Amino acid sequence: MDLLIKKLFKKSGSNTESNNIAPIPNASFVKEKNVGLTEEQLKWNKMWELWAEGLIDSPYAELMTYQSELYNGGHSQYFTNIEDNNDLQKEMLSLKAVLPFQLKEALEKAYEAYLMLEENYDDKKAEEIMTQCDNIFYQNEEEINHLLEKYSAKIKL
């Protein structure tokens, strides 16, 4: 793999050492075209395709949206985008039905901070709470992945 990266950078005129580019550890995602995905991976991919088409059951659709939004901008982005496009209270109720306690609590605290920030955009305490809640999500994201893995296992290919 390191050799492949070096060849690519050599072709582009870059140097991995001078650009401080570290080798990619465990690059198992780079596969030859003939190597197939496992059934579990195919179901996982199918689940995300169905989600993009709006065909995932509640509360898993809401859970996938929550995860996606948090990866792209944290709780602040989640609340803003859902509030603009959907019924935020309904979404949050769906999430609270499946989230483990610590993540449910973080969601509630983040929402309170979000409301404080709507009133006062420069509220440093609310920003700090929002950041803490984002961090709790990232520290516990495996729990969400586990829930989604269980759901995706039921998908028919």
Side-chain angles (χ1 to χ4, degrees):
M1 184 67 190
D2 290 340
L3 182 60
L4 174 63
I5 292 171
K6 287 179 183 179
K7 282 182 182 178
L8 291 172
F9 278 96
K10 190 172 187 176
K11 284 182 183 178
S12 69
S14 298
N15 181 325
T16 57
E17 281 78 20
S18 65
N19 290 329
N20 295 322
I21 296 174
I24 300 172
N26 189 15
S28 60
F29 61 88
V30 179
K31 297 183 179 226
E32 294 178 24
K33 290 181 182 178
N34 295 334
V35 177
L37 297 175
T38 65
E39 183 176 346
E40 181 180 65
Q41 291 167 325
L42 290 169
K43 287 182 176 189
W44 180 265
N45 290 346
K46 180 72 173 177
M47 176 184 69
W48 283 100
E49 289 170 15
L50 292 170
W51 173 75
E53 296 170 10
L55 300 173
I56 292 291
D57 299 326
S58 184
Y60 299 99
E62 292 85 355
L63 188 60
M64 293 170 76
T65 299
Y66 178 63
Q67 183 182 52
S68 178
E69 293 290 347
L70 262 78
Y71 284 153
N72 288 307
H75 281 94
S76 179
Q77 178 170 315
Y78 169 73
F79 295 128
T80 300
N81 287 347
I82 298 303
E83 193 170 62
D84 288 347
N85 299 310
N86 297 319
D87 183 343
L88 179 58
Q89 294 305 316
K90 183 179 174 187
E91 291 264 339
M92 287 178 57
L93 280 175
S94 294
L95 286 174
K96 289 176 187 180
V98 292
L99 286 176
F101 176 77
Q102 191 172 14
L103 289 169
K104 188 184 316 184
E105 190 174 62
L107 175 68
E108 292 168 350
K109 286 181 182 179
Y111 184 63
E112 290 171 11
Y114 174 76
L115 294 176
M116 289 189 298
L117 286 167
E118 279 192 328
E119 288 181 26
N120 178 9
Y121 186 75
D122 294 325
D123 188 329
K124 299 297 180 203
K125 179 70 174 163
E127 287 178 12
E128 183 180 316
I129 291 169
M130 191 77 76
T131 299
Q132 289 170 354
C133 293
D134 289 349
N135 290 336
I136 290 169
F137 169 83
Y138 296 124
Q139 291 164 1
N140 294 279
E141 66 185 296
E142 281 304 312
E143 292 184 50
I144 291 176
N145 287 335
H146 182 69
L147 290 168
L148 293 175
E149 286 168 359
K150 285 171 112 175
Y151 178 76
S152 71
K154 298 174 187 175
I155 291 177
K156 295 183 183 187
L157 296 173

